[in-house]
């Protein structure tokens, strides 16, 4: 495997772009192949079997592009599929949950942690299990947020509906006196300011993306696979509508996408 091979990053939609941004910042010489399963977003209302199937197709696609590492920039996939693929793959694969769980205990002071995520991630209890590996005493309160991803994918960031559901989902967490809130869906950093408006300035909002990107760098460095050459342009693939994806992605990345292609499974 050459160190010039790209890194594969995938999500159900545009959420993983928040991870791509961090990876691009921390590893500026790396070429990224980004995959958005926009035709099947959200994953939050799918069954475990469906999600495992989707993830398997996406990983096969990324492997066909000769990626040297894969980032599951999707908490849902990380919660359900990580153990299976970690065992199966010959290249490094990392998700969102482990890096966030490792860091959150350094940040929280009162050990009362909130996790906001879609229903599938909440039901998996993956964050509770992972954080408990490091600290048995931490109290973790989850908030299931089914409507956020569809609203974000429709770019309804300024809608009244978004405000309403955020209030409804997050108010119960505030009663638990949490001091840290994990944004346990890669779409949520896109509405970080809106979340802040509901929870206030005192609660630390933890975005796992930065810690995942740091962990990726450590892994590639240890394997002597960091790209030291000049970066090739990133490539974007989507199962959904190219124009719709491009519009949103360019808006959030604040950059023009040079290569976007549709994938049919
Ligand atoms: N952005 C993904 C996550 O981090 C998927 C959200 C969804 O499709 O429901 O979980």
């Amino acid at each position: 495997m050459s160190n010039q091979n790209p890194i594969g990053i995938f999500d159900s939609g545009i959420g993983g772009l928040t991870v791509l941004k961090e990876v691009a910042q921390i590893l500026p010489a790396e070429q990224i192949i980004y995959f958005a399963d926009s035709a099947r977003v959200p994953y939050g209302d799918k069954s475990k079997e469906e999600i495992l199937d989707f993830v398997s197709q996406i990983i096969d696609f990324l492997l066909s592009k000769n990626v040297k590492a894969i980032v599951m920039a999707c908490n849902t996939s990380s919660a359900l599929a990580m153990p299976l693929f970690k065992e199966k793959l010959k290249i490094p694969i990392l998700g969102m949950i482990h890096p966030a769980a490792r860091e959150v205990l350094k940040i929280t002071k009162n050990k009362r942690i909130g996790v906001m995520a879609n229903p599938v991630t909440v039901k998996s209890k993956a964050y509770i299990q992972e954080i408990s590996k490091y600290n048995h005493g931490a109290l973790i309160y989850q908030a299931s947020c089914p409507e956020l991803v569809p609203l974000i994918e429709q770019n309804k960031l300024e809608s009244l509906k978004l405000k309403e559901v955020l209030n409804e989902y997050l108010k119960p967490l505030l009663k638990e006196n949490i001091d840290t809130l994990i944004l346990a869906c890669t779409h949520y950093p896109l509405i970080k300011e809106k979340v802040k408006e509901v929870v206030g300035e005192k609660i630390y909002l933890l975005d796992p993306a930065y810690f995942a990107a740091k962990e990726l760098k450590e892994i590639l460095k240890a394997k002597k696979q960091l790209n030291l050459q000049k970066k090739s342009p990133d490539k974007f693939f989507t199962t959904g509508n190219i124009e719709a994806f491009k519009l949103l992605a360019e808006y959030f990345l604040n950059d023009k996408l040079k290569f976007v292609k549709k994938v049919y499974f």
Side-chain angles (χ1 to χ4, degrees), residues 10-53:
F10 76 87
D11 181 37
S12 61
I14 55 165
L17 296 174
T18 59
V19 181
L20 178 146
K21 252 186 172 173
E22 296 292 344
V23 172
Q25 188 110 33
I26 291 182
L27 295 165
E30 302 292 342
Q31 182 193 20
I32 295 168
I33 306 275
Y34 185 83
F35 189 99
D37 197 4
S38 319
R40 302 187 287 203
V41 71
Y43 280 6
D45 63 4
K46 305 293 186 296
S47 69
K48 180 173 179 173
E49 290 68 31
E50 283 174 301
I51 292 167
L52 287 179
D53 250 18

Side-chain angles (χ1 to χ4, degrees), residues 7 55 57 64 78 148 158 183 190:
I7 292 167
V55 171
Q57 285 178 326
S64 77
S78 310
L148 293 183
E158 297 304 325
L183 305 176
L190 298 170

Side-chain angles (χ1 to χ4, degrees), residues 10-16 34 40-46 72-78 96 117-121 145-146 149-150 153 183-188:
F10 76 87
D11 181 37
S12 61
I14 55 165
Y34 185 83
R40 302 187 287 203
V41 71
Y43 280 6
D45 63 4
K46 305 293 186 296
M72 283 189 178
C74 171
N75 289 264
T76 325
S77 313
S78 310
M96 296 292 111
N118 72 23
V120 175
T121 306
C145 311
V149 168
E153 287 281 339
L183 305 176
C185 169
T186 52
H187 282 74
Y188 300 167

Side-chain angles (χ1 to χ4, degrees), residues 13-18 20-21 34-36 38 152-153 155 190 235-238 241-260:
I14 55 165
L17 296 174
T18 59
L20 178 146
K21 252 186 172 173
Y34 185 83
F35 189 99
S38 319
I152 296 167
E153 287 281 339
N155 205 10
L190 298 170
K235 292 184 175 171
F236 295 81
F237 295 88
T238 176
N241 179 286
I242 291 195
E243 286 316 314
F245 173 77
K246 223 174 152 188
L247 200 77
L248 272 185
E250 289 184 345
Y251 171 67
F252 287 122
L253 293 175
N254 197 17
D255 200 5
K256 287 267 167 230
L257 305 191
K258 291 181 191 71
F259 182 106
V260 189

